[in-house]
Amino acid sequence: MSDLTTLRASCKAILARHQRGLTLELSCILCRQRVRGQQSAMQHYADAHGIHPTNHDNIVDLDGFLAHLRGLLFLRDDERMHCPVCRAACGEEASLMAHIAEEGHSRWDTGTIPTLAPFCITGDNVKEEDGDGDEDEDEAENAGGNNAAEDEDEDDGGEDWGIEPAVCLLCETESEDCLRHMIDAHGFDFRAAVQAHAGVHEVYDLIRIVNIIRKCVAQGICPFNYRDESADVEACRCSIAASSLEEHLREHPLHALPRVLSSDDRELIPVLCGDAFISSVVVGGDLLAQQEEDPDYPMVPTIAEMAKKQAEGRQAKGIS
């Protein structure tokens, strides 16, 4: 990915695929078994074959990714199966599996198979492509006596970087004030909801909540029952089927957050790559901060306090 625009486009492509993830049907490149559901299809490789490909959340072009892997498995004009990692000819599937177990070639990702990188989001791609030509330019400037680094440091102080828009948790809208957008567009006060949730104690809990909501919205299911088979599950399914997830959450605002918050570290993996909502709103914000009461305010008794004192006085005198 050469720039932020390309990265955002890649993230949107991944999110769009997530939204149809449950209906997506993929064929295993090893056994050709068709598996319904994006997550189930990728999990099939680990469960059935002991293969661990790149996490599908980091794959931009999933069809291209799998097609490229199959091309490495079955070379042109060669019926034998080959190891995608070392390209060794293994013959039948059983021989391939034995080779993989013996050589430890069970990870099929950009680290072991670099040619998969064009189909994925990788930090190396960003660094390599963004850095092309920088060294030559720096050398030319230094040769001419220009200290570009110092000039940039001086200029940076007055530059307004602005706020990076974040994608709404409940729709695809990007907003610089996502919290306000969710209140105005969806009637969902995220700050109030997380502060009222008994299971939220630290920023990691907030990150889990964001990722859980994004997963559920992408799958069209109620976040309230995430990994919790309570009695409300069927009622929520019927409500969503009768209208939509958005309408369901409007009618049941408490259902926007999971009833029981998982402590699984897997929920800390961002659903949306480079999620600005997590980085700016959750981590960089003060969602867990409670407003401290000023002990000196109010300086005079309020009407409620005066009424309370009068009631207490009447009770003390036996006046009803």
Side-chain angles (χ1 to χ4, degrees):
M1 307 299 164
S2 58
D3 52 31
L4 186 58
T5 302
T6 305
L7 181 60
R8 284 178 177 169
S10 298
C11 293
K12 287 184 177 179
I14 295 173
L15 183 60
R17 193 179 69 240
H18 273 304
Q19 292 175 337
R20 58 186 180 91
L22 290 177
T23 60
L24 201 64
E25 193 169 290
L26 299 169
S27 295
C28 173
I29 60 174
L30 288 164
C31 65
R32 307 308 292 170
Q33 177 181 339
R34 295 189 68 81
V35 182
R36 189 177 183 84
Q38 173 185 234
Q39 187 170 350
S40 299
M42 299 305 288
Q43 186 62 36
H44 165 82
Y45 288 97
D47 296 341
H49 306 292
I51 300 298
H52 302 280
T54 301
N55 188 293
H56 60 276
D57 288 337
N58 296 325
I59 302 175
V60 180
D61 181 3
L62 184 56
D63 292 334
F65 179 91
L66 295 175
H68 182 72
L69 271 179
R70 183 162 177 80
L72 296 177
L73 278 170
F74 298 94
L75 300 181
R76 184 177 298 178
D77 300 327
D78 192 341
E79 296 181 355
R80 296 173 300 174
M81 299 184 77
H82 295 71
C83 174
V85 177
C86 66
R87 313 298 169 86
C90 300
E92 299 294 329
E93 182 182 342
S95 300
L96 174 65
M97 293 297 103
H99 166 83
I100 287 173
E102 182 178 348
E103 300 296 333
H105 291 172
S106 60
R107 301 202 68 84
W108 294 359
D109 53 31
T110 56
T112 57
I113 309 174
T115 53
L116 290 173
F119 306 99
C120 307
I121 292 179
T122 63
D124 291 339
N125 285 349
V126 176
K127 292 177 183 177
E128 289 175 2
E129 294 184 15
D130 286 350
D132 288 347
D134 289 348
E135 293 182 1
D136 294 339
E137 292 177 4
D138 290 343
E139 290 178 2
E141 290 177 356
N142 290 335
N146 295 326
N147 194 333
E150 291 183 1
D151 293 341
E152 288 179 2
D153 289 341
E154 293 177 0
D155 294 340
D156 285 348
E159 185 171 354
D160 182 12
W161 291 95
I163 301 173
E164 182 180 0
V167 178
C168 173
L169 298 181
L170 303 178
C171 68
E172 296 184 9
T173 300
E174 292 187 7
S175 173
E176 293 183 356
D177 190 351
C178 216
L179 295 178
R180 170 53 56 185
H181 161 77
M182 287 192 288
I183 293 175
D184 295 341
H186 306 287
F188 175 44
D189 189 338
F190 182 78
R191 181 191 297 273
V194 297
Q195 289 182 349
H197 197 294
V200 178
H201 305 290
E202 56 182 358
V203 69
Y204 294 112
D205 295 328
L206 292 175
I207 296 174
R208 290 186 179 97
I209 283 178
V210 171
N211 289 324
I212 289 171
I213 293 176
R214 290 209 187 280
K215 286 181 182 179
C216 292
V217 170
Q219 297 173 16
I221 61 177
C222 180
F224 188 71
N225 302 304
Y226 182 76
R227 291 191 176 180
D228 176 34
E229 292 298 326
S230 64
D232 297 326
V233 175
E234 190 58 34
C236 290
R237 287 174 182 166
C238 293
S239 173
I240 294 171
S243 55
S244 66
L245 176 60
E246 183 176 355
E247 290 301 320
H248 172 75
L249 295 180
R250 279 186 179 276
E251 295 177 5
H252 305 86
L254 295 178
H255 285 206
L257 267 59
R259 186 178 70 88
V260 178
L261 185 57
S262 169
S263 60
D264 193 336
D265 286 346
R266 288 179 297 180
E267 307 298 353
L268 296 174
I269 301 174
V271 172
L272 188 61
C273 186
D275 195 338
F277 190 91
I278 291 178
S279 60
S280 62
V281 179
V282 174
V283 178
D286 59 347
L287 295 179
L288 294 179
Q290 299 287 345
Q291 293 183 346
E292 297 182 0
E293 295 184 359
D294 187 347
D296 296 329
Y297 178 85
M299 299 180 67
V300 295
T302 63
I303 295 176
E305 289 174 337
M306 293 172 63
K308 182 179 179 181
K309 288 182 179 180
Q310 290 178 356
E312 290 174 349
R314 292 194 188 97
Q315 289 179 355
K317 295 178 181 180
I319 302 175
S320 58

